[in-house]
C-alpha cells in the first residue's frame, strides 16, 4: 500500500495536476486528501473533477464546510479583503453547482484506514479532537496532545496549517502534508525536506520569513514496508500557470 497524501488544494487545479503527474510517474495506490478542496482558487470545478477522476478519498475542511453551509447574507465584512472573499465564495458556489455543494456538505470530517500491520490511520483536516483545528509544526507536545483526543489512531494524516512536518507525540505519528495550492515558503526560497523511514520521527519545518505563492506544491507519500512506516515529503515545482 503506497498512499499519496495531500491537503489544502484551495481550487488550484493546475497545482493538483502537477502533483498527480509527479505521483503517477512514481506510482501510488490511493489518493487521500485532508480537506480544503475548492476555495478560493481559480478552478474549483476542475479541481473537483480531477479528484473525482482520481477516486480520491476526501474529508471535509474549513473552506469546504463554508462553501456548503455558510449563510453569506448574515456575514458583515469588516474589510475590503473580507468582502472580496465573500464575493469569491459566492462565485465558487455558482461554478460548482448545487450537486457538488451537496457532496461537499456530506464529506465526513474523518476517514479511518486499517493498516497492514494491525494499526490504524486517520485522515483529518485539522486534528482528531477537532477536525477544524489544525496541528501546527510549532506547537508544544502538550498542545498537540490536547488535539489528539481519546482515540487518535496510530497515524494521523492532516493539513490545515499549510506547513508540512512529521512528528511523534504520545506514541502517535502525526504527518502534516502541507498544502498543494497555498504552500508557504521563505523569502529566500529555501525549503528543507527530509525522508523519514524506519525511525520513530523526523520533523520538517521552514525557516525565515514566510511568503505565499512560492511556485511549489507539497505532497507526501506514505508506505508500509515490512512493518515499518516510510514517509517521504516532497516538493513539486509549479509553472506560472499553477
Amino acid at each position: 500500500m503506497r498512499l499519496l497524501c495531500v491537503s489544502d488544494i484551495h481550487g488550484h487545479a493546475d497545482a493538483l495536476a502537477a502533483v498527480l503527474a509527479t505521483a503517477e510517474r512514481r506510482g501510488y495506490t490511493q489518493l487521500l486528501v485532508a480537506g480544503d478542496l475548492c476555495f478560493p482558487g481559480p478552478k474549483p470545478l476542475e479541481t473537483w473533477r480531477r479528484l473525482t477522476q482520481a477516486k480520491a478519498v476526501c474529508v471535509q475542511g474549513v473552506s469546504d464546510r463554508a462553501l456548503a453551509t455558510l449563510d453569506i447574507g448574515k456575514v458583515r465584512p469588516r474589510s475590503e479583503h473580507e468582502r472580496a472573499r465573500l464575493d469569491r465564495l459566492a462565485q465558487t458556489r455558482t461554478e460548482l453547482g448545487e450537486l457538488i455543494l451537496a457532496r461537499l456538505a456530506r464529506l465526513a470530517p474523518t476517514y479511518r484506514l486499517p493498516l497492514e500491520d494491525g494499526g490504524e490511520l486517520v485522515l483529518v483536516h485539522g486534528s482528531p479532537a477537532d477536525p477544524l483545528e489544525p496541528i501546527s509544526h510549532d506547537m508544544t507536545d502538550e498542545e498537540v496532545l490536547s488535539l489528539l483526543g481519546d482515540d487518535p489512531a496510530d497515524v494521523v494524516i492532516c493539513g490545515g496549517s499549510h506547513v508540512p512536518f512529521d512528528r511523534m507525540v504520545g506514541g502517535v505519528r502525526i504527518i502534516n502534508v502541507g498544502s498543494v495550492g497555498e504552500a508557504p515558503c521563505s523569502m529566500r526560497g529555501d525549503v528543507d525536506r527530509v525522508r523519514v523511514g524506519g525511525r520513530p520521527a523526523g520533523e520538517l519545518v521552514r525557516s525565515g520569513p514566510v511568503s505565499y505563492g512560492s511556485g511549489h506544491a507539497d505532497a507526501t507519500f506514505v508506505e508500509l514496508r515490512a512493518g515499518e512506516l516510510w514517509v517521504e515529503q516532497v516538493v513539486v515545482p509549479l509553472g506560472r500557470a499553477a
Side-chain angles (χ1 to χ4, degrees), residues 4 6 14-24 180 217-219 221 236 238:
L4 170 62
V6 301
D14 294 337
L16 176 60
V19 168
L20 293 179
T22 297
E24 285 164 6
V180 169
D218 295 316
F221 291 96
V236 178
L238 303 177

Side-chain angles (χ1 to χ4, degrees), residues 2-217:
R2 181 172 170 83
L3 303 173
L4 170 62
C5 305
V6 301
S7 186
D8 296 83
I9 303 164
H10 290 292
H12 292 273
D14 294 337
L16 176 60
V19 168
L20 293 179
T22 297
E24 285 164 6
R25 288 193 295 268
R26 303 181 62 169
Y28 68 96
T29 55
Q30 179 67 65
L31 172 61
L32 304 183
V33 186
D36 278 5
L37 311 178
C38 299
F39 174 80
K43 297 181 179 180
L45 182 57
E46 185 177 339
T47 298
W48 178 265
R49 286 172 172 168
R50 283 188 176 276
L51 292 173
T52 301
Q53 291 167 358
K55 297 181 172 58
V57 173
C58 303
V59 295
Q60 189 182 72
V62 176
S63 65
D64 306 316
R65 178 178 291 190
L67 273 173
T69 66
L70 183 66
D71 187 343
I72 297 178
K74 294 182 178 179
V75 179
R76 296 292 178 264
R78 295 168 295 182
S79 66
E80 286 303 314
H81 173 72
E82 289 186 2
R83 186 181 303 279
R85 295 283 280 194
L86 288 174
D87 289 345
R88 180 58 192 152
L89 189 138
Q91 293 167 1
T92 302
R93 283 179 171 174
T94 299
E95 292 175 45
L96 292 175
E98 292 300 323
L99 180 60
I100 294 175
L101 291 175
R103 291 176 177 172
L104 286 173
R106 291 196 299 269
L107 286 177
T110 61
Y111 171 77
R112 289 181 177 266
L113 178 68
L115 299 174
E116 297 170 1
D117 63 354
E120 186 180 46
L121 177 151
V122 63
L123 175 71
V124 63
H125 180 66
S127 58
D130 183 348
L132 301 183
E133 179 68 28
I135 300 172
S136 63
H137 71 279
D138 54 356
M139 285 182 171
T140 65
D141 284 359
E142 290 72 21
E143 289 171 326
V144 173
L145 283 170
S146 71
L147 291 175
L148 290 182
D150 298 328
D151 186 21
D154 303 284
V155 181
V156 175
I157 303 291
C158 58
S161 72
H162 294 189
V163 178
F165 64 85
D166 179 2
R167 181 173 174 183
M168 184 76 79
V169 178
V172 178
R173 185 81 173 265
I174 305 158
I175 304 165
N176 190 305
V177 299
S179 174
V180 169
E182 295 185 359
C185 186
S186 70
M187 290 294 192
R188 296 187 306 274
D190 55 333
V191 182
D192 297 323
R193 280 294 182 272
V194 294
R195 177 170 175 147
V196 182
R199 55 194 176 97
E203 187 168 356
L204 177 151
V205 298
R206 289 179 173 87
S207 61
V210 172
S211 63
Y212 289 83
S214 55
H216 78 271

